[in-house]
Amino acid sequence: KAGVTQTPRYLIKTRGQQVTLSCSPISGHRSVSWYQQTPGQGLQFLFEYFSETQRNKGNFPGRFSGRQFSNSRSEMNVSTLELGDSALYLCASSSAGTGGYEQYFGPGTRLTVT
Amino acid sequence: QQQVKQSPQSLIVQKGGISIINCAYENTAFDYFPWYQQFPGKGPALLIAIRPDVSEKKEGRFTISFNKSAKQFSLHIMDSQPGDSATYFCAASKHGYALNFGKGTSLLVTP
């Protein structure tokens, strides 16, 4: 099976702009989670979607949002970018909700905000 | 607040030695404890995971030891190899949702 894919891999944006990141899960996985990884805060959970519904949400401001489509692909959006949003954004897919606990990560999107 | 505490922050082990990384958690509702390995420029890769109904799980050179009463778990890498040099993260969650990660351990295995 193909793994989790994320696009784009690298992105440079200016403060105040917005950005959309995309994630395609492993075939058959219906749960997609997003994480932010920074050197200071480590890996932090953003939100999780299952069957197009947000099922869990981490402690991030409302500028961070996401959605999931009927084919399980997911997008996350960050509006009004701040310098502190520079991070590696990771998507993970899982069969959680249908018996599986394991989360498999994609390679991430490296976002740089200038 | 940090729900999972991981130590040490960095570790240097000689080839053939045993690498040991420890984690502690607070939330007794957690029932799933995975370990991930991450190489520079890559996403975390699932190594091995355990649920609290067993005290130990072994897969190849990797072993998780779990102490439910102490709320601690650890990763042992036997016969450590230079190719094992990476950052290791422990995590904990309830039912596999919303992983809470430790801060990571940078492992260097010297030849």
Side-chain angles (χ1 to χ4, degrees):
Chain A
K1 277 186 181 177
V4 177
T5 58
Q6 293 187 244
T7 56
R9 292 293 312 280
Y10 303 92
L11 207 48
I12 301 175
K13 289 287 188 179
T14 303
R15 194 170 45 183
Q17 288 185 315
Q18 75 166 14
V19 67
T20 299
L21 313 181
S22 180
C23 171
S24 292
I26 292 171
S27 178
H29 284 187
R30 293 164 60 190
S31 167
V32 173
S33 299
W34 289 89
Y35 293 82
Q36 181 195 64
Q37 185 174 26
T38 60
Q41 298 300 315
L43 280 151
Q44 293 186 288
F45 171 73
L46 279 156
F47 30 66
E48 184 231 354
Y49 286 86
F50 180 78
S51 292
E52 302 178 65
T53 301
Q54 187 180 88
R55 191 163 60 173
N56 291 283
K57 188 178 190 305
N59 189 26
F60 277 81
R63 299 185 297 107
F64 292 81
S65 63
R67 59 177 176 168
Q68 186 180 34
F69 303 95
S70 58
N71 62 358
S72 294
R73 191 176 69 85
S74 177
E75 289 181 347
M76 69 163 281
N77 183 278
V78 187
S79 62
T80 319
L81 284 165
E82 300 178 358
L83 295 178
D85 297 332
S86 294
L88 181 67
Y89 289 89
L90 293 157
C91 166
S93 81
S94 169
S95 56
T98 54
Y101 280 25
E102 294 82 7
Q103 292 193 26
Y104 298 94
F105 283 83
T109 294
R110 171 72 63 185
L111 172 65
T112 302
V113 182
T114 63
Chain B
Q1 90 239 32
Q2 190 75 24
Q3 294 207 59
V4 178
K5 294 184 179 177
Q6 183 173 345
S7 63
Q9 189 174 350
S10 63
L11 184 59
I12 300 175
V13 172
Q14 281 197 323
K15 178 182 175 181
I18 303 174
S19 304
I20 302 174
I21 305 170
N22 301 298
C23 285
Y25 64 98
E26 291 295 323
N27 190 339
T28 55
F30 290 155
D31 63 356
Y32 175 67
F33 304 88
W35 284 89
Y36 283 85
Q37 178 191 58
Q38 186 176 29
F39 292 104
K42 306 285 188 183
L46 180 63
L47 260 182
I48 185 173
I50 198 168
R51 297 191 197 180
D53 52 342
V54 297
S55 60
E56 186 175 283
K57 182 175 181 180
K58 183 176 180 179
E59 289 184 3
R61 295 185 295 111
F62 301 92
T63 299
I64 299 180
S65 297
F66 185 82
N67 186 329
K68 188 174 180 178
S69 61
K71 293 188 287 184
Q72 294 176 346
F73 58 111
S74 60
L75 175 70
H76 290 64
I77 306 174
M78 311 301 287
D79 188 26
S80 299
Q81 299 296 313
D84 297 331
S85 297
T87 301
Y88 292 80
F89 294 94
C90 62
S93 79
K94 184 177 178 182
H95 303 330
Y97 307 135
L99 292 171
N100 296 275
F101 283 91
K103 290 286 194 181
T105 296
S106 178
L107 171 65
L108 175 64
V109 181
T110 59

